[in-house]
Amino acid sequence: MTLDLTGELAAARVLGIIRGTDTAAAIATGVALLDEGVRVIEVALTTPGALRAIDAIRAAAPAGALVGAGTVLTATDVADVAAAGAHFVVTPAVVESIPEAVRRGLPVAAGALTPTEAYTAVRMGASAVKLFPASLGGPAYLRALRDPFPQLPLVAVGGVGLAEMPAYLDAGAIAVGVGGPLVGDAASGGDLDALRARARAYLAAATHRPIS
């Protein structure tokens, strides 16, 4: 059965993005995010030992959680992350990895900024469009992009802080992808307790509920 990445992102509302400098810390970060209830996680290939981290985090993931690979640029990258067990791939732009991932049955959240890039990504088979960097135009730009493409599944990524998250969801994003504002320095050996607190805050904001 093909993974419905769009539906999973829309249900989760938060995509946790792990980009760090230490493999063990990246794994610990992924496990902590899963423990706190984040159910869709991306490990950027720029993280040392990213493939090992993807494999380890997936092994620790509860049923229904998804672990994907980010910064997937080439066909070789797609082969590598597929072998590591990634559930999905994420790209920073409209690149050659998109059709290769689609050919292999791996759903893609493709990076795009302009209407042309977003349309091209979907035509290439992307399941969702990662609006990146979302902070360049903010929620108003995301809303404007949806006017000619009302069915376009947009994930806001890049500079989405906790305070801005509800506005992106209200503007029509199916989810937000959060790296630094959520992970902080945890994936480079930083404070996991602080990470856990931020994860709880983001999950609360995702449902527009006050933080308990």
Side-chain angles (χ1 to χ4, degrees):
M1 181 181 295
T2 303
L3 171 66
D4 177 14
L5 180 61
T6 301
E8 296 289 347
L9 287 168
R13 309 307 290 272
V14 178
L15 165 64
I17 302 171
I18 299 173
R19 187 186 301 275
T21 60
D22 180 83
T23 308
I27 294 170
T29 295
V31 172
L33 289 173
L34 292 169
D35 286 346
E36 295 301 333
V38 177
R39 286 295 173 261
V40 186
I41 293 172
E42 164 196 340
V43 180
L45 290 187
T46 52
T47 301
L51 298 176
R52 183 155 63 88
I54 290 167
D55 179 62
I57 296 169
R58 176 170 175 167
L66 302 178
V67 182
T71 323
V72 178
L73 300 175
T74 67
T76 299
D77 288 341
V78 175
D80 289 342
V81 302
H87 292 111
F88 62 92
V89 303
V90 182
T91 77
V94 180
V95 289
E96 68 178 75
S97 58
I98 298 171
E100 177 61 18
V102 172
R103 186 185 71 80
R104 288 175 173 267
L106 277 175
V108 183
L113 179 61
T114 68
T116 299
E117 290 170 347
Y119 180 74
T120 301
V122 172
R123 286 294 299 269
M124 292 171 72
S127 299
V129 171
K130 180 181 88 170
L131 185 64
F132 176 79
S135 59
L136 190 62
Y141 177 70
L142 187 146
R143 189 185 301 275
L145 187 58
R146 289 190 71 247
D147 285 344
F149 302 115
Q151 304 306 316
L152 195 65
L154 293 169
V155 181
V157 181
V160 181
L162 182 61
E164 295 80 32
M165 179 181 175
Y168 281 104
L169 296 176
D170 289 342
I174 63 169
V176 300
V178 195
L182 169 61
V183 172
D185 62 355
S188 299
D191 189 343
L192 288 176
D193 288 335
L195 165 71
R196 291 176 179 274
R198 290 191 297 270
R200 292 192 293 270
Y202 267 94
L203 291 174
T207 54
H208 294 214
R209 290 182 291 103
I211 303 167
S212 58

